[in-house]
Amino acid sequence: MDVEVKNAIGRADVVIKMPDAIYVLEFKVDGTPEEALAQINSKQYAIPYEIDHRKVVKVGANFDSATRTLGEWEIEYS
């Protein structure tokens, strides 16, 4: 697992490399999972991993500051 993974446009919050998949995660606080996924896509966080033989899974997640828990998340496969 790597955190704050830099690319030319920004930084992915977390990248997890598993034997069969690479997970690119972006977190928002009091936002939406759609905003997090849009950031993954607009800043091309997953591009460096698409040439790998493993599937790439993008995860956008939102933390709710009122409940201090993980609220919603959305998954996108590429």
Side-chain angles (χ1 to χ4, degrees):
M1 176 172 35
D2 297 312
V3 298
E4 295 294 322
V5 179
K6 295 179 187 177
N7 76 359
I9 303 174
R11 289 183 296 216
D13 287 335
V14 178
V15 175
I16 301 171
K17 296 177 182 173
M18 302 295 288
D20 62 339
I22 298 174
Y23 297 86
V24 179
L25 293 88
E26 183 65 28
F27 303 115
K28 296 293 178 192
V29 176
D30 297 329
T32 67
E34 293 82 13
E35 290 172 338
L37 279 175
Q39 183 172 335
I40 292 171
N41 291 323
S42 70
K43 297 199 176 198
Q44 303 174 350
Y45 295 157
I47 295 288
Y49 310 108
E50 290 181 354
I51 61 170
D52 195 282
H53 68 280
R54 296 170 278 190
K55 68 180 173 183
V56 177
V57 181
K58 303 172 193 174
V59 180
N62 177 60
F63 287 93
D64 186 328
S65 65
T67 61
R68 298 176 64 173
T69 61
L70 179 62
E72 301 175 318
W73 66 89
E74 192 167 314
I75 298 170
E76 183 178 296
Y77 300 92
S78 57

